[in-house]
Amino acid sequence: ISPIDLHVQAVARHKQGRFSEAEELYRKSLAGLEAGSTQSTAVTPIEASGHISLVWADYGELLYTMGRYDDAALQFRLASESVTGPIEQFAEFIIYTRCRESDSLRKSIDGRSQAKQALQTAEPAVAKLPTDHPLVAFFHERQGWLALDEWQASNAAKSFRSAIALRQKNIDAGNRRAPFFLYFDEQGLAMAERLQGLLNDSRQRLEQLANRVEKARTEPKRLSAKQRSELESRYLNALERLADVPLFDLGQPDQAREPLERAIDFARRESLNEGRLARHIDRIRFKLAIAHAATGREREATQTMAEASSTTLLGIDQQYRELAKGAIALAEKIPPASHVF
């Protein structure tokens, strides 16, 4: 089997969720291509040297999916650095792989400076594309999330506004993938507005976003499983962030309950509690428990906590769980007339 055929098989296994098999196939493909294999008449040494960039990029996607972010960053970097020739010819590939390298490095606190460097390396390629190219928006989106990581709210807002304008142009031009990026950009801008103290703007944007995503889910058009999954995740995220403003910024926990309850009811209707979103849904439960406890509803808070079932909580989820437990314990000690706290 030629290395290129092995690559095709690896991509297929990746799409099927057979990650271990996919990784083995990627490695075999790379070994053959790095050796300049000519096992098949379809593979010449020149083809091998060019195709290896694609294998590195696809292998990086697999490793990212598997949560091996340092390894993924290396593959994306190898893919980008392997490109030779006029930058105009390979601009799209360079931008994509550098942006994905940045995504991978962002997953590590120690990697943020390297993530920013990866984006800076992509800037000459960005300058070669038309200003309304989708990958230019892709680049601005990465700038926005990196700025949020570093609490640079103004820079983040600027990047997300640029991305939103470009994605809207893409939508107007008939790009069917663009709305899914646009929803994420709107959430990023709302988060930046919240950090800037523009709380009413942030709440309004998140409310509109939740409604738009909910409408997109119910429109009579065919959605792929991946698109439906993205909309489910975005809807839950928008409602959670909508509740964060009154719960943590305005001291109005009573107003946080409605969007959090909407999110939990949605998860129940769509049978999401046992799936890949279980951890996210439990985090929403913890926040709802805090809102209940802060408004004198200790019984509801305790019941909400009891419904949490995820066994894969991350550090931030565990922190919200402990915060909810503390809020319930405090509520039980405070006379009812003293709520809200």
Side-chain angles (χ1 to χ4, degrees):
I1 301 177
S2 78
I4 292 178
D5 292 335
L6 290 170
H7 177 207
V8 173
Q9 291 182 16
V11 172
R13 299 295 188 278
H14 183 180
K15 294 295 184 182
Q16 294 168 348
R18 297 158 65 176
F19 296 156
S20 296
E21 294 177 41
E23 182 170 14
E24 182 179 357
L25 288 165
Y26 278 127
R27 287 179 172 175
K28 288 181 178 179
S29 176
L30 286 170
L33 291 169
E34 287 171 342
S37 173
T38 56
Q39 296 177 22
S40 166
T41 56
V43 183
T44 68
I46 293 178
E47 289 171 333
S49 65
H51 194 87
I52 196 169
S53 302
L54 299 177
V55 183
W56 274 323
D58 286 339
Y59 187 24
E61 293 293 349
L62 173 69
L63 294 169
Y64 187 93
T65 302
M66 296 172 70
R68 291 163 53 185
Y69 302 116
D70 290 341
D71 293 337
L74 173 61
Q75 297 303 312
F76 289 125
R77 183 164 61 252
L78 288 171
S80 179
E81 291 177 348
S82 67
V83 172
T84 58
I87 192 171
E88 296 88 349
Q89 186 176 351
F90 301 102
E92 290 93 340
F93 186 77
I94 293 170
I95 294 167
Y96 181 80
T97 50
R98 286 300 188 183
C99 284
R100 293 298 286 143
E101 177 188 354
S102 178
D103 289 340
S104 304
L105 292 167
R106 273 188 62 226
K107 293 293 185 177
S108 169
I109 295 178
D110 296 334
R112 287 178 184 168
S113 62
Q114 293 174 286
K116 184 181 294 186
Q117 185 177 358
L119 290 184
Q120 291 172 343
T121 306
E123 287 179 353
V126 173
K128 298 296 183 180
L129 292 185
T131 56
D132 59 350
H133 195 289
L135 280 172
V136 176
F138 195 69
F139 175 78
H140 285 305
E141 287 156 356
R142 269 69 200 161
Q143 287 184 314
W145 292 113
L146 262 178
L148 274 184
D149 288 345
E150 298 179 340
W151 296 81
Q152 297 176 0
S154 179
N155 289 341
K158 180 180 178 181
S159 293
F160 284 124
R161 286 194 176 96
S162 296
I164 288 169
L166 292 175
R167 292 300 185 188
Q168 190 58 59
K169 287 184 178 180
N170 298 157
I171 292 171
D172 295 341
N175 187 321
R176 296 183 180 181
R177 184 78 180 105
F180 297 90
F181 290 102
L182 181 64
Y183 299 146
F184 210 1
D185 296 340
E186 290 281 3
Q187 182 176 321
L189 178 55
M191 293 170 68
E193 289 171 334
R194 181 186 171 200
L195 291 180
Q196 290 177 300
L198 303 172
L199 301 183
N200 288 334
D201 291 345
S202 180
R203 291 180 74 177
Q204 183 177 8
R205 189 177 300 279
L206 289 165
E207 182 69 55
Q208 292 173 348
L209 174 60
N211 292 336
R212 288 170 62 190
V213 173
E214 185 175 30
K215 181 180 178 181
R217 285 189 63 260
T218 57
E219 285 180 350
K221 62 181 180 181
R222 188 169 185 176
L223 296 172
S224 68
K226 181 178 180 180
Q227 289 172 332
R228 186 169 297 280
S229 176
E230 287 180 3
L231 289 176
E232 290 169 348
S233 180
R234 192 59 41 229
Y235 184 61
L236 290 173
N237 242 301
L239 291 173
E240 179 187 6
R241 300 308 175 194
L242 178 59
D244 283 347
V245 177
L247 184 59
F248 298 117
D249 298 326
L250 298 176
Q252 299 172 345
D254 54 318
Q255 295 188 24
R257 291 202 311 271
E258 191 274 335
L260 294 172
E261 288 172 345
R262 279 171 61 190
I264 291 174
D265 287 344
F266 168 75
R268 186 178 296 114
R269 289 196 312 271
E270 301 297 323
S271 302
L272 302 177
N273 288 315
E274 303 301 326
R276 64 179 185 82
L277 294 174
R279 179 182 62 80
H280 184 185
I281 295 164
D282 277 356
R283 186 173 70 238
I284 293 173
R285 286 194 177 96
F286 300 148
K287 290 183 179 181
L288 179 57
I290 294 169
H292 280 318
T295 51
R297 295 175 171 82
E298 297 95 323
R299 181 179 299 176
E300 290 88 343
T302 301
Q303 182 178 350
T304 300
M305 288 288 289
E307 293 173 354
S309 59
S310 175
T311 58
T312 58
L313 296 178
L314 300 182
I316 186 66
D317 309 314
Q318 294 170 353
Q319 290 173 14
Y320 278 118
R321 180 179 60 187
E322 295 307 309
L323 184 59
K325 289 180 179 179
I328 294 171
L330 183 59
E332 291 172 344
K333 297 178 181 180
I334 295 179
S338 300
H339 297 92
V340 177
F341 58 80

